[in-house]
């Protein structure tokens, strides 16, 4: 059965979330997180999409993305990235089948307050999960780069 297309998006900012199937830890080590981030970087270099903030957890990840005019760029990009990562993950874990719970979830950012709250929510994920006490100590988040204004 074909999937329904996503609704029309009016904002250029989206909170994008991915999660492992059955809450499985699909990013349980540094290599897995690094590979996924490399695939994301490769993909954004080919599209007019920017990742503003992110946090990679063991079983899910959050990204705040910006697109200029075409939400479909993000859909295509996420499809490519998730497909490549699923092949990597399955090969390296000697398994077959789905890796991600769904395509990806996205929430449109409706105003400046929503944008700032989303940035805080994403960056606070590692602390809320009890992984770190200080946000700057978490290596797989954009927090350090964000607060020092690095790309």
């Amino acid at each position: 059965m074909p999937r329904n297309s996503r609704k029309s998006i009016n904002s250029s900012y989206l909170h994008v979330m991915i999660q492992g199937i059955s809450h499985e830890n699909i990013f349980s080590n540094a290599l897995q997180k690094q590979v996924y981030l490399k695939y994301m970087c490769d993909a954004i270099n080919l599209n007019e999409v920017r990742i503003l903030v992110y946090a990679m957890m063991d079983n899910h990840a959050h990204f705040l993305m910006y697109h200029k005019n075409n939400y479909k760029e993000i859909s295509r990009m996420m499809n490519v990235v998730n497909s490549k990562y699923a092949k990597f993950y399955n090969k390296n874990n000697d398994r077959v089948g789905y890796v991600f719970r769904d395509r990806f979830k996205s929430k449109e950012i409706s105003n400046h307050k929503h944008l700032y709250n989303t940035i805080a929510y994403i960056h606070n994920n590692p602390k809320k999960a009890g992984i770190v006490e200080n946000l700057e100590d978490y290596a797989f988040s954009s927090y350090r780069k964000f607060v020092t204004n690095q790309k």
Side-chain angles (χ1 to χ4, degrees), residues 8-107:
S8 174
I9 300 293
N10 297 315
S11 174
S12 293
Y13 297 93
L14 291 174
H15 178 190
V16 174
M17 299 149 279
I18 55 172
Q19 186 175 50
I21 194 162
S22 301
H23 301 280
E24 184 177 316
N25 285 347
I26 57 172
F27 305 117
S28 57
N29 61 51
L31 175 64
Q32 291 172 337
K33 290 178 178 99
Q34 290 165 346
V35 166
Y36 192 86
L37 287 173
K38 182 194 179 315
Y39 292 158
M40 285 292 274
C41 288
D42 292 347
I44 64 170
N45 288 332
L46 299 174
N47 295 279
E48 290 192 20
V49 174
R50 296 291 169 254
I51 297 173
L52 305 176
V53 298
Y54 69 89
M56 304 265 317
M57 309 300 283
D58 287 352
N59 71 344
H60 71 284
H62 295 269
F63 300 91
L64 177 61
M65 295 186 180
Y66 171 82
H67 65 96
K68 285 188 177 178
N69 298 315
N70 188 353
Y71 169 74
K72 290 181 182 179
E73 290 178 51
I74 290 178
S75 285
R76 281 191 300 271
M77 185 183 89
M78 292 303 295
N79 178 279
V80 168
V81 171
N82 288 351
S83 294
K84 284 177 74 173
Y85 184 77
K87 288 175 187 170
F88 163 83
Y89 182 83
N90 281 338
K91 181 179 179 184
N92 284 282
N93 289 285
D94 196 29
R95 69 184 290 279
V96 295
Y98 295 107
V99 173
F100 296 98
R101 178 176 164 184
D102 252 329
R103 292 183 276 193
F104 66 94
K105 291 183 181 179
S106 63
K107 291 188 180 178

Side-chain angles (χ1 to χ4, degrees), residues 113-151:
K113 182 179 180 185
H114 190 190
L115 178 66
Y116 299 135
N117 287 340
T118 302
I119 291 168
Y121 174 81
I122 291 171
H123 280 155
N124 278 299
N125 246 246
K127 187 172 183 177
K128 184 179 175 188
I131 298 170
V132 293
E133 189 66 34
N134 299 309
L135 294 176
E136 55 272 356
D137 294 338
Y138 192 64
F140 296 100
S141 161
S142 59
Y143 181 78
R144 275 185 272 171
K145 290 181 180 181
F146 188 81
V147 296
T148 58
N149 205 23
Q150 296 176 25
K151 285 189 176 185

